[in-house]
């Protein structure tokens, strides 16, 4: 009797943080296939819906890119992390001015980090989960803000900061998933994989 091949996992992200996080579950993706999609929010789209839509569209796009169908045995995992101040979706900061604006907005107040994941199974079905974490920065002094901006950790980060770096020393508290704020909520990811039948301890 021939043993069926182990299912493959495709990670629809080039983020080294997501690869590091999923490794904590004892998983090494068989392939990395970053999905290139339009990430422009719809008009009046709320952060929760936007995060879910981005994760789902990335999973679908990555599956299409690799020719994913029911015969290839591949699961495709995608994620998206959104920093929201009220109903406002903060951008991934590509310049220092935008990063400063984001951090000044978040200084001394609570905000939400919504980390959505979507898993496309080999049969084409898609399962989704959403992690919601509340984060509060201390009130940032100009010296603290300038020092963080000088570190360049903010580059390409949603909301202008990376909790796994120096910003963690500026965060008064969080309620929810630390790994979700980093970029991949591990509890939800493990539950999603197990529910879909992907072999995981």
């Amino acid at each position: 009797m021939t043993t069926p091949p182990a299912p493959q996992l495709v990670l629809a992200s080039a983020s080294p943080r997501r690869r590091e996080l999923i490794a904590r579950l004892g998983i090494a993706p068989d392939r990395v296939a970053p999905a290139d999609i339009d990430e422009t929010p719809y008009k009046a789209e709320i952060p929760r819906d936007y995060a879910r839509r981005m994760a789902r569209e990335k999973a679908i796009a990555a599956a299409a890119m690799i020719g994913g169908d029911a015969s290839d045995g591949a699961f495709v995992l995608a994620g998206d992390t959104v920093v929201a101040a009220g109903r406002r979706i903060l951008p991934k900061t590509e310049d220092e001015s935008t990063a400063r604006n984001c951090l000044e907005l978040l200084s001394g107040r609570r905000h939400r980090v919504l980390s959505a994941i979507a898993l496309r199974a080999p049969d084409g079905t898609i399962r989704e989960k959403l992690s919601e974490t509340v984060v509060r920065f201390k009130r940032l002094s100009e010296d603290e803000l300038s020092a963080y901006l000088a570190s360049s950790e903010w580059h390409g980060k949603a909301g202008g900061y990376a909790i796994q770096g120096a910003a963690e020393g500026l965060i008064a508290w969080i309620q929810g998933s630390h790994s979700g704020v980093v970029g991949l909520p591990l509890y939800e990811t493990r539950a999603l994989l197990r529910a879909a039948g992907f072999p995981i301890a």
Side-chain angles (χ1 to χ4, degrees):
M1 183 175 178
T2 303
T3 303
Q8 293 195 332
L9 182 71
V10 176
L11 183 62
S13 173
S15 167
R17 296 178 301 281
R18 289 197 175 105
R19 290 199 298 274
E20 291 167 4
L21 285 167
I22 202 167
R24 296 180 191 174
L25 297 178
I27 297 173
D30 296 282
R31 182 171 176 180
V32 173
D36 184 16
I37 64 170
D38 181 359
E39 298 191 27
T40 306
Y42 294 151
K43 185 177 181 180
E45 187 172 29
I46 64 174
R48 177 187 294 263
D49 291 346
Y50 172 72
R52 284 181 170 140
R53 180 172 67 84
M54 286 294 97
R56 183 172 58 252
E57 290 186 3
K58 287 176 182 179
I60 293 169
M65 184 171 61
I66 65 171
D69 58 31
S71 66
D72 66 12
F75 289 79
V76 180
L77 178 68
D80 194 74
T81 301
V82 173
V83 174
R87 294 173 61 92
R88 179 176 175 183
I89 298 168
L90 299 191
K92 292 180 181 176
T93 50
E94 300 298 336
D95 59 77
E96 187 172 312
S97 174
T98 303
R100 173 177 282 274
N101 289 341
C102 286
L103 291 169
E104 287 177 344
L105 176 64
L106 299 178
S107 174
R109 65 177 288 183
R110 300 179 184 185
H111 64 276
R112 290 175 299 138
V113 180
L114 303 158
S115 195
I117 50 173
L119 181 69
R120 182 192 182 277
D123 64 2
T125 59
I126 296 178
R127 290 175 168 84
E128 303 173 16
K129 282 189 176 290
L130 179 76
S131 164
E132 182 169 339
T133 302
V134 180
V135 181
R136 186 173 74 81
F137 270 92
K138 71 180 293 294
R139 187 166 298 282
L140 302 175
S141 68
E142 178 56 37
D143 287 346
E144 288 168 331
L145 182 55
S146 296
Y148 189 71
L149 291 171
S151 75
S152 296
E153 275 188 1
W154 49 265
H155 191 267
K157 303 299 191 301
Y161 73 93
I163 196 172
Q164 69 273 23
E168 191 161 12
L170 304 174
I171 290 171
W173 58 264
I174 73 168
Q175 181 179 11
S177 171
H178 185 276
S179 59
V181 181
V182 178
L184 189 72
L186 293 183
Y187 177 83
E188 289 81 1
T189 298
R190 181 177 180 275
L192 201 63
L193 289 166
R194 284 176 63 88
F198 185 84
I200 182 172

